[in-house]
Amino acid sequence: MDLQKIKEIADEKGKLIKDLIEETGIKKGTLFNYMKGKTAITLEAFLKISDVLKVPPLELLAVVQNIKLNNDTAEMIHDMESTSDTEQIKSNSINVMMIPLVNQYAYAGYLSGFENEGYVGELPKMPYLADRQYKGNYVFFEVKGDSMDNGSYESYLEGDLILCRDVRQDFWSSKLHINKWDFVIVHKEEGILLKRIIEHDVEKGILTLHSLNEYYDDIEVHLKDVAKIFNVVDVRRHKNRR
């Protein structure tokens, strides 16, 4: 999510950052943390900014997520702004999902608290614009380290936010779709690992994990030592990074 684009929109509308601070009531430090991606923006703050900038929330969300709206969606957003009878709007073509965020500093806490609904519920939430209502449980993880950075377009850079879908444990006993997805493995001892699975030995319950960065060796992990597995389904990256 590129929240720096909020500043660009503010500039276009002749508003300074101090105007956003005064008119939204968001503290200066908090706003800058939002803009720099250090803190996940709350839905309340996002809606306040949307109101001050006079940009529909869904349109603003599409801009900061680098999503190009198709004509139908753009018209839907316009209709939502121009009518109070929202039941007549076909809003099933677009959804805003509030996804829990596990940043680098919350890795240890998530590892010990992922089964606690209270802990997960207290994590900051990131809005995510989806073209439909997705089923399953989703989490944003902030990428840590360079093990998946080999300089190619496939790389995941430190600080990237990756949207991940929980793979139910009853699916682990059959072959994972290793040619379709990269994965986040929550390992009971090794922690949270972003890897590519190059082999899944179903009979032995062993995963072979591969790093894109050639300086890291492949490792084998047994599923009995794995707490959770996630598919990586999307990546959000700041625009000033490759």
Side-chain angles (χ1 to χ4, degrees), residues 27-61:
K27 294 181 180 179
K28 180 179 179 181
T30 301
L31 182 61
F32 278 117
N33 283 339
Y34 290 155
M35 305 284 278
K36 294 177 181 178
K38 292 183 177 180
T39 305
I41 190 168
T42 65
L43 180 59
E44 181 183 11
F46 189 84
L47 293 177
K48 286 181 179 179
I49 293 171
S50 167
D51 184 58
V52 168
L53 295 179
K54 306 301 181 186
V55 178
L58 294 181
E59 183 177 327
L60 182 61
L61 190 57

Side-chain angles (χ1 to χ4, degrees), residues 58-74:
L58 294 181
E59 183 177 327
L60 182 61
L61 190 57
V63 170
V64 300
Q65 288 190 175
N66 298 315
I67 295 174
K68 184 177 180 180
L69 297 175
N70 59 33
N71 291 334
D72 290 340
T73 302

Side-chain angles (χ1 to χ4, degrees), residues 4-198:
Q4 285 291 337
K5 289 192 174 181
I6 288 178
K7 183 179 183 305
E8 295 178 12
I9 296 173
D11 290 341
E12 292 175 1
K13 294 181 174 290
K15 287 189 177 292
L16 303 174
I17 291 297
K18 68 174 184 179
D19 296 326
L20 282 181
I21 294 170
E22 292 174 359
E23 296 180 38
T24 62
I26 301 171
K27 294 181 180 179
K28 180 179 179 181
T30 301
L31 182 61
F32 278 117
N33 283 339
Y34 290 155
M35 305 284 278
K36 294 177 181 178
K38 292 183 177 180
T39 305
I41 190 168
T42 65
L43 180 59
E44 181 183 11
F46 189 84
L47 293 177
K48 286 181 179 179
I49 293 171
S50 167
D51 184 58
V52 168
L53 295 179
K54 306 301 181 186
V55 178
L58 294 181
E59 183 177 327
L60 182 61
L61 190 57
V63 170
V64 300
Q65 288 190 175
N66 298 315
I67 295 174
K68 184 177 180 180
L69 297 175
N70 59 33
N71 291 334
D72 290 340
T73 302
E75 289 180 10
M76 184 202 75
I77 291 173
H78 175 75
D79 290 342
M80 289 177 70
E81 286 296 297
S82 60
T83 180
S84 59
D85 191 1
T86 56
E87 292 183 358
Q88 295 182 5
I89 306 302
K90 295 181 180 179
S91 57
N92 61 346
S93 61
I94 190 168
N95 289 274
V96 179
M97 302 167 63
M98 297 303 295
I99 311 294
L101 169 65
V102 182
N103 62 28
Q104 296 179 17
Y105 305 103
Y107 273 24
Y110 183 80
L111 188 61
S112 61
F114 68 90
E115 291 182 321
N116 186 329
E117 292 185 6
Y119 172 82
V120 175
E122 291 176 358
L123 288 170
K125 303 294 191 300
M126 288 285 289
Y128 180 78
L129 185 64
D131 58 354
R132 61 185 182 276
Q133 185 64 49
Y134 289 98
K135 296 181 180 180
N137 297 319
Y138 289 80
V139 178
F140 271 116
F141 289 98
E142 183 180 10
V143 176
K144 185 177 183 180
D146 64 351
S147 68
M148 291 294 280
D149 182 8
N150 63 356
S152 74
Y153 73 94
E154 294 182 301
S155 294
Y156 300 88
L157 308 183
E158 182 162 31
D160 283 351
L161 296 182
I162 51 175
L163 179 66
C164 300
R165 179 179 56 216
D166 189 8
V167 180
R168 285 180 8 213
Q169 194 163 359
D170 52 307
F171 291 160
W172 300 5
S173 58
S174 57
K175 198 82 169 181
L176 296 171
H177 296 292
I178 63 177
N179 295 322
K180 183 177 181 180
W181 311 101
D182 288 325
F183 294 84
V184 167
I185 309 296
V186 181
H187 193 275
K188 296 174 184 177
E189 295 181 358
E190 299 298 327
I192 297 173
L193 309 171
L194 169 61
K195 298 293 179 184
R196 183 160 292 177
I197 299 176
I198 57 174

Side-chain angles (χ1 to χ4, degrees), residues 179-230:
N179 295 322
K180 183 177 181 180
W181 311 101
D182 288 325
F183 294 84
V184 167
I185 309 296
V186 181
H187 193 275
K188 296 174 184 177
E189 295 181 358
E190 299 298 327
I192 297 173
L193 309 171
L194 169 61
K195 298 293 179 184
R196 183 160 292 177
I197 299 176
I198 57 174
E199 186 177 349
H200 179 192
D201 188 327
V202 176
E203 290 186 6
K204 296 181 179 178
I206 294 177
L207 303 176
T208 303
L209 308 183
H210 175 72
S211 300
L212 297 182
N213 190 328
E214 63 182 9
Y215 291 104
Y216 294 84
D217 294 330
D218 293 345
I219 60 174
E220 291 186 350
V221 299
H222 199 288
L223 285 173
K224 66 180 177 59
D225 298 319
V226 172
K228 275 189 172 293
I229 298 177
F230 294 88

